[in-house]
Amino acid sequence: LFVGRLAPDTGISDYIKAWEIISNKYPNLHFIVCGDGVLKADIEKYVKNNNISNIAFEGFVSDVESYIKDAKVIFTAGYLGILEAFSYKKSLIATYDNELKKDYLQMIPNYDEMMWVVDNEIENIAKAVDEAINDETKKEKAYNYSLHNSWEKVKEDYYRLWNK
């Protein structure tokens, strides 16, 4: 499951390209894309032209939780999306294409014990999916992290940060 904007900075194009490898290895898995944005037409055209199977484009959805509940692996890099995936005990993969985003993701305390943060190399994303599909340890640690980092806590942290 991908959750987010269909824009260059979200990694969606890289996830789609990695799906070509993943879908060959796991033909029974489906890739669901929840989101909309400037790359939607380009991505749909790429999928069609390359005959990539098992991808569904749901567009913007108001009830993303129902998709998260059914997902095996979630692709997202926004902090609130990460927390949401963690709260449902889901394996999470986030990619980066620049040092700022890498730092942002790796600044989550003990990030490597809870999720896969990988560069945007297609083979590395596919390898992370292989690992995530069979992992239970990271999901438990991520869930415990989410219990102490609710939206309410994030909001309070922002207020403290910006009110000083």
Side-chain angles (χ1 to χ4, degrees):
L1 172 68
F2 171 86
V3 178
R5 294 174 295 108
L6 305 185
D9 66 320
T10 63
I12 182 61
S13 296
D14 301 320
Y15 297 132
I16 295 290
K17 289 174 185 169
W19 186 252
E20 290 182 81
I21 297 168
I22 297 161
S23 65
N24 287 328
K25 187 167 186 177
Y26 300 100
N28 294 327
L29 283 183
H30 293 18
F31 186 14
I32 299 172
V33 178
C34 291
D36 207 340
V38 297
L39 292 181
K40 183 178 183 184
D42 291 341
I43 292 169
E44 288 178 333
K45 183 178 177 182
Y46 180 87
V47 167
K48 183 178 179 184
N49 289 345
N50 290 286
N51 204 23
I52 304 170
S53 60
N54 296 338
I55 296 182
F57 292 93
E58 298 296 324
F60 177 81
V61 296
S62 58
D63 182 25
V64 74
E65 292 85 12
S66 63
Y67 292 92
I68 291 173
K69 286 178 188 175
D70 293 334
K72 192 139 186 94
V73 176
I74 297 179
F75 301 103
T76 194
Y79 188 67
L80 294 178
I82 290 170
L83 282 180
E84 183 122 28
F86 285 179
S87 73
Y88 283 96
K89 293 186 179 180
K90 299 298 176 177
S91 294
L92 186 125
I93 298 171
T95 63
Y96 59 87
D97 60 355
N98 61 64
E99 291 301 310
L100 179 63
K101 191 168 185 181
K102 178 181 178 182
D103 287 347
Y104 158 78
L105 292 166
Q106 291 182 348
M107 287 178 73
I108 297 172
N110 303 312
Y111 76 92
D112 57 336
E113 296 178 5
M114 300 182 291
M115 62 190 211
W116 287 262
V117 174
V118 297
D119 59 28
N120 60 341
E121 293 295 322
I122 306 312
E123 294 79 17
N124 293 339
I125 296 170
K127 181 180 179 219
V129 170
D130 262 343
E131 293 173 8
I133 284 174
N134 300 306
D135 182 83
E136 293 299 322
T137 311
K138 288 189 181 193
K139 288 190 238 184
E140 275 305 315
K141 290 181 180 182
Y143 175 72
N144 289 330
Y145 179 84
S146 75
L147 294 176
H148 302 289
N149 291 280
S150 64
W151 166 240
E152 196 62 37
K153 182 180 180 311
V154 171
K155 182 178 77 171
E156 290 169 12
D157 289 346
Y158 276 116
Y159 282 151
R160 240 186 337 274
L161 175 67
W162 294 107
N163 285 330
K164 289 189 176 187

